[in-house]
Amino acid sequence: MSNQAGTSTGERRLAVLEGVLERITYANEENGYTVARVDTGRGGGDLLTVVGALLGAQVGESLRMEGRWGSHPQYGKQFTVENYTTLLPATVQGIRRYLGSGLVKGIGPVFADRITQHFGLDTLKIIEEEPKRLIEVPGLGPKRTKKIADAWEEQKAIKEVMLFLQTVEVSTSIAVRIYKKYGDASISVVKNQPYRLASDVWGIGFLTADKIAQSVGIPHDSPERVKAGLQYALSQATDQGNCYLPEERLIADAVKLLQVDTGLVIECLAELAQVPQDGGDPGVVREKVPGPDGHAEPVTAVYLVPFHRAELSLSAQLLRLLRTDEDRMPGFHDVAWDKALGWLKGRTGTDLAPEQEAAVKLALTKKVAVLTGGPGCGKSFTVRSIVELARAKKARVVLAAPTGRAAKRLAELTGAEASTVHRLLELKPGGDAAYDKDRPLQADLVVVDEASMLDLLLANKLVKAVPPGAHLLFVGDVDQLPSVGAGEVLRDLLADGGPIPAVRLTRVFRQAQQSGVVTNAHRINAGQQPVTDGMKDFFLFVEDDTEETGRLTVDVAARRIPAKFGLDPRRDVQVLAPMHRGPAGAGTLNGLLQQAITPGRPDLAEKRFGGRVFRVGDKVTQIRNNYEKGENGVFNGTVGVVTSLDPVDQRLTVLTDEDEEVPYEFDELDELAHAYAVTIHRSQGSEYPAVVIPVTTGAWMMLQRNLLYTAVTRAKQLVVLVGSRKAIGQAVRTVSAGRRCTALDFRLAGS
């Protein structure tokens, strides 16, 4: 396999270097830039540093590299690679090392040794041409033999696809994904339908597909390109939380993205909105709706089909539940409330406050209701009271939350089983649910906690599965950040003049008033600076320099909190950053925290992937919804710990916070990120004993009140802010700009 990563135009001829790739020190998966060490066979165990586009080269391979010699002030002599070819090793020792490097799934050092002892120099020829003969090797049964043969074939096919894709500068991990999606048709799809990649293959956006399309000769002003660009602009908008875009804004975004005439964009948008002759779905849906932020002027909203369908469906299903004459808990219409609440006090030992009492009655008498309020206002106790009373009447109660941690907390609180919404609905590959309108849940009362996290698509799936006559209660804090996915479901349910009855708890209980975490959360939400002097559970380390803030954050999380409070830095302490980028962003902090908490050791297995190193003991998070993984899919935001790492089978295992062991193939590791530090957006629905929040002026654009409020309310016992008072002031003062583009409130109110 040769790599034309940039042939030289210089007068000097390129130098040639041959050697075995021993280890990859750093690799950027996006552009293929690699720093590696090669054994040139000069003896003495000396390894030489090579740098450059070694895209797709594997440890153990023999490489013939062309490039230039140079010197690095820190690392000394090194070779800059401009292009390379893979050579199959020619010695038994080279073959053994090549096979034992983890290149072929199922062959580690032990089997590499046995295979080469048996077949010698013919080893690679046998694997290529007569793989069935591998069974002659002691310990290699038919199962492993087939696995090795399949892995060898797949490796060859991927290399062929990569060889083609390298001419369009596609990264290794994306090449592997393209191959896994299309198999032998990969090259044909890339050449003839490159824009399919953006919708079919996770990790390929329009920009990558566009780069590929240009290199295979698709014109800049091709209608196919413009339509793909319009759909990409809408999908970007949904990633930012919008269910639709106003038509004018979409056209302006597309013109800027595509650099084509406005007229062509308008034509292509009109074509996309037409229903195809075969009766299938159009590319987009256009509909007049009230403008966002209550503007009087209606706008023409342009939706991607799944979001339009989900918004119509969710509003219709909620109104159906609300208005049905059926009732699965009829006993609460004529209940003697004094007697019921007296019985409840006997169970819990505590009186309900008037607001809480109103919420209990609402949930048990209305078919759909919302309970909202901040920390320390008694939401949890109210939910427990509702569940106790419903169960006393023998009602079937189903409890769910969007995340594993939130579901666990709900179960502890109520003493009843709770699950994630995904698990409750038994979502299947492709995202279809086992429970829906035609096969509803067996439930009389459904309680959904942390409802601020529910996005439009998930809320629609859930509400569809609630049977007519059952009661549905949404519980959440509407002042927190809205969902990561598109929509603002909880806020839309609470809209003024809407049909959904709701109670907002506002009174902070005396016990909660002792907590600096609760007090400051309410201060922040009211636009006041948090109080940090004299608090036992809320601290501020002032540091104006952004880089120093990053270092201090790591010191506080990994050393100071564990030493002073006896908390485990991996399990109990969570760093929450406003941004991913920057010296005090989650990306940089993860690297520093991993060094401090799970440093590399000679006896600790690790796998390097795209600039990250995964080790046993690492705290990790899933960064995309994957319906194919685990029992019922593994979803964006799921957190876990790496429990094993097998270089022979090229797989690591994560124990998730739902206590499920999930295997990841090494080529799926771009679905995982470290989670010692996460962005505040990703922490929604989770609760941690202690949180450390770096707040710097470098994150100026992100500093908003609901962001800081959400971060502070994630803590059960302790909050430490690290950073500048100016940045904290900015966050407290700044109310998030404008509402998302959603029309659920309009659909509910207008029906």
Side-chain angles (χ1 to χ4, degrees), residues 78-120:
Q78 63 179 32
F79 189 79
T80 301
V81 181
E82 299 219 358
N83 50 69
Y84 77 89
T85 314
T86 350
L87 308 169
L88 287 179
T91 65
V92 171
Q93 184 192 355
I95 293 169
R96 186 186 301 127
R97 189 161 38 179
Y98 178 66
L99 287 179
S101 66
L103 178 73
V104 182
K105 237 180 246 185
I107 305 183
V110 174
F111 278 114
D113 198 36
R114 286 192 204 166
I115 294 167
T116 48
Q117 273 185 18
H118 191 82
F119 294 115

Side-chain angles (χ1 to χ4, degrees), residues 21 95 143 177 339 403 427 457 474 556 667 681 698 704 731:
L21 186 59
I95 293 169
K143 227 177 183 179
R177 259 187 256 139
K339 197 173 166 190
T403 66
L427 288 182
L457 299 182
F474 294 99
V556 167
D667 58 22
H681 281 87
Q704 293 176 349

